[in-house]
Amino acid sequence: MIQEAHWEQARVEAYSFWKKLPSEKISLNLCVDRTLATDAIALVELPTYPTSAMDGYAVCGKGPWRIVGEVKAGAPMKGGLKEGTAVKIATGAVIPDKTFGIIRWEIATVDGDNLNGEVKEGQEIRPAGLESNKGEVLATAGTVLNPGLIGLLAAAGHDLLEVVRIPKATIILLGDEIVLDGLPHDGLVRDALGPQLPGWLHKLGVEVIATHYVSDELDLVTKAFAAAAKNSDVVFTTAGTADGPRDHVRAAIAALKGELIIDRVKVRPGHPMVLAHINKVPFVGLPGNPQSAIVALLTLGQPVIDALMGRKEAELHQIVTGDDINVPEGFTRLVLGNIVDGWFEMGEYLGSAMLRGLAHSTGFAVAEKSMEEGEMVAWLPLP
């Protein structure tokens, strides 16, 4: 177990501890935002045939030429051209044998069946394999598929793709002080994590299969953890990670013979976060304050999810801060804000229990030390 992990160390450890989930083959049109489990190769050359890059005329030999027919896309010409002849040809149509080049229709001179124009050898012809050879890797394992990649792989001959199974998650929200609807009353507070966590997890690629609200009683927490470990690939808990008399996350994990992997991270906000496993099922313990919880989600939860999905370990980009950032000695500080004209602009309402800063920001500046305006700082985007 790592006690009081450094922020970067915590993310590396959270990523390295888990194995990729099993894969499944699914239809190409269902693969947007799914993660490739294996390299995807071209099953054919791209283009598969030599094709015309333009609407025009395919010619053989020197001009002038006699137009003897037409070649449409998807209907190759039988036989080849003869010296001094030409055919009309559509963009994407297969090049007839013995074609010297293509004359674009807008620069061709046509008089009846007679064609004149200038042409160079190979002009406006896309050779087979120009974009990729058969067997070439078009996307590597761990790639998150976007519509453009799916179009490429469809053209390369794929009907099905092998992708990593979507992780199934259970959320367990701990506490006696929350009200689930309407207005807060009698010292209770309205639940803000239950409504938002499923959305963040969906953006990270996870399917939330259950959300449970559990009172701060050790036996109830232990039973909830045991049930979640049987049915989930990953479990997220909120609250109960500090040292108060009703904070039972660590005790419940111990009662189930689980193992703590990371106990607290030296980051503000979000310090009392926890990473553990019960029967090899990851448990990510998020603090109860909303901003702290999302810091913990991106610190420990996102690397766990990336590992389960076989994605590459995330690398943070550097941006320029437009504000001074004060950081407690020995800690990393994550500061909500936005990128404006390429510069980091600090948000407002940055207290760990506050929600407005989170609602109006697109990510966190990750500061390892106090910084002044104009210095470079890492950028951790929200999903």
Side-chain angles (χ1 to χ4, degrees):
M1 179 187 70
I2 303 174
Q3 186 87 26
E4 297 278 352
H6 185 274
W7 188 79
E8 288 186 356
Q9 177 191 23
R11 280 174 59 86
V12 170
E13 187 71 15
Y15 180 85
S16 63
F17 200 85
W18 318 101
K19 293 182 180 180
K20 181 173 67 175
L21 292 174
S23 62
E24 59 185 355
K25 284 190 175 182
I26 63 173
S27 177
L28 198 68
N29 64 337
L30 301 176
C31 286
V32 173
D33 293 334
R34 297 296 297 270
T35 304
L36 274 177
T38 59
D39 292 351
I41 65 170
L43 303 180
V44 292
E45 290 184 311
L46 286 178
T48 308
Y49 323 96
T51 56
S52 177
M54 294 287 173
D55 292 336
Y57 298 88
V59 301
C60 179
K62 296 181 179 180
W65 302 271
R66 181 169 59 89
I67 302 170
V68 296
E70 182 177 3
V71 180
K72 299 178 181 178
M77 179 178 175
K78 295 181 180 179
L81 289 173
K82 295 181 180 178
E83 188 82 14
T85 64
V87 290
K88 296 179 183 179
I89 193 165
T91 301
V94 176
I95 300 295
D97 289 342
K98 300 183 180 178
T99 296
F100 180 76
I102 305 294
I103 303 175
R104 298 186 188 186
W105 71 268
E106 63 266 29
I107 62 172
T109 302
V110 178
D111 182 9
D113 290 335
N114 296 314
L115 168 69
N116 280 279
E118 295 185 1
V119 62
K120 296 179 181 179
E121 186 174 6
Q123 181 175 298
E124 307 298 357
I125 294 175
R126 295 184 183 131
L130 177 65
E131 189 171 358
S132 73
N133 296 315
K134 182 178 179 180
E136 186 175 340
V137 174
L138 300 178
T140 57
T143 298
V144 180
L145 292 160
N146 60 39
L149 270 172
I150 288 171
L152 171 64
L153 296 174
H158 290 273
D159 299 314
L160 303 172
L161 290 175
E162 190 168 352
V163 296
V164 180
R165 179 170 62 75
I166 294 175
K168 299 182 184 300
T170 293
I171 300 172
I172 298 174
L173 298 111
L174 304 173
D176 299 314
E177 74 281 12
I178 55 178
V179 59
L180 304 185
D181 52 36
L183 300 179
H185 55 85
D186 300 325
L188 302 176
V189 295
R190 180 66 188 268
D191 172 36
L193 284 174
Q196 69 172 296
L197 274 178
W200 291 123
L201 290 172
H202 174 75
K203 284 177 170 289
L204 290 170
V206 173
E207 177 188 356
V208 176
I209 59 171
T211 299
H212 301 296
Y213 291 85
V214 180
S215 181
D216 286 323
E217 303 290 344
L218 178 57
D219 60 334
L220 296 179
V221 175
T222 303
K223 289 177 182 178
F225 282 17
K230 292 179 180 178
N231 302 317
S232 312
D233 299 307
V234 58
V235 179
F236 293 90
T237 70
T238 68
T241 59
D243 296 315
R246 299 182 68 79
D247 292 328
H248 300 308
V249 166
R250 294 173 184 81
I253 291 168
L256 295 170
K257 301 189 185 307
E259 179 186 353
L260 283 175
I261 301 167
I262 295 172
D263 188 0
R264 296 179 175 82
V265 177
K266 298 185 74 172
V267 65
R268 300 291 187 190
H271 174 238
M273 65 182 78
V274 169
L275 178 63
H277 75 84
I278 297 172
N279 294 329
K280 303 301 181 184
V281 175
F283 273 65
V284 182
L286 312 177
N289 282 326
Q291 201 171 127
S292 295
I294 304 309
V295 166
L297 176 65
L298 297 190
T299 299
L300 298 178
Q302 187 173 31
V304 168
I305 292 166
D306 286 345
L308 293 176
M309 300 188 76
R311 295 175 178 171
K312 297 168 185 174
E313 193 169 1
E315 295 183 6
L316 305 187
H317 299 294
Q318 297 286 316
I319 57 172
V320 182
T321 179
D323 296 287
D324 294 345
I325 300 175
N326 296 316
V327 180
E329 186 175 353
F331 278 74
T332 300
R333 184 181 174 199
L334 268 61
V335 185
L336 280 166
N338 297 284
I339 298 176
V340 180
D341 297 328
W343 288 60
F344 172 69
E345 186 175 284
M346 186 184 297
E348 298 180 301
Y349 305 100
L350 299 181
S352 63
M354 292 183 175
L355 290 156
R356 289 180 69 176
L358 183 63
H360 297 290
S361 297
T362 55
F364 293 91
V366 181
E368 302 288 347
K369 59 181 179 62
S370 293
M371 312 189 80
E372 297 181 351
E373 177 185 349
E375 291 190 76
M376 301 299 293
V377 65
W379 173 250
L380 176 65
L382 284 160

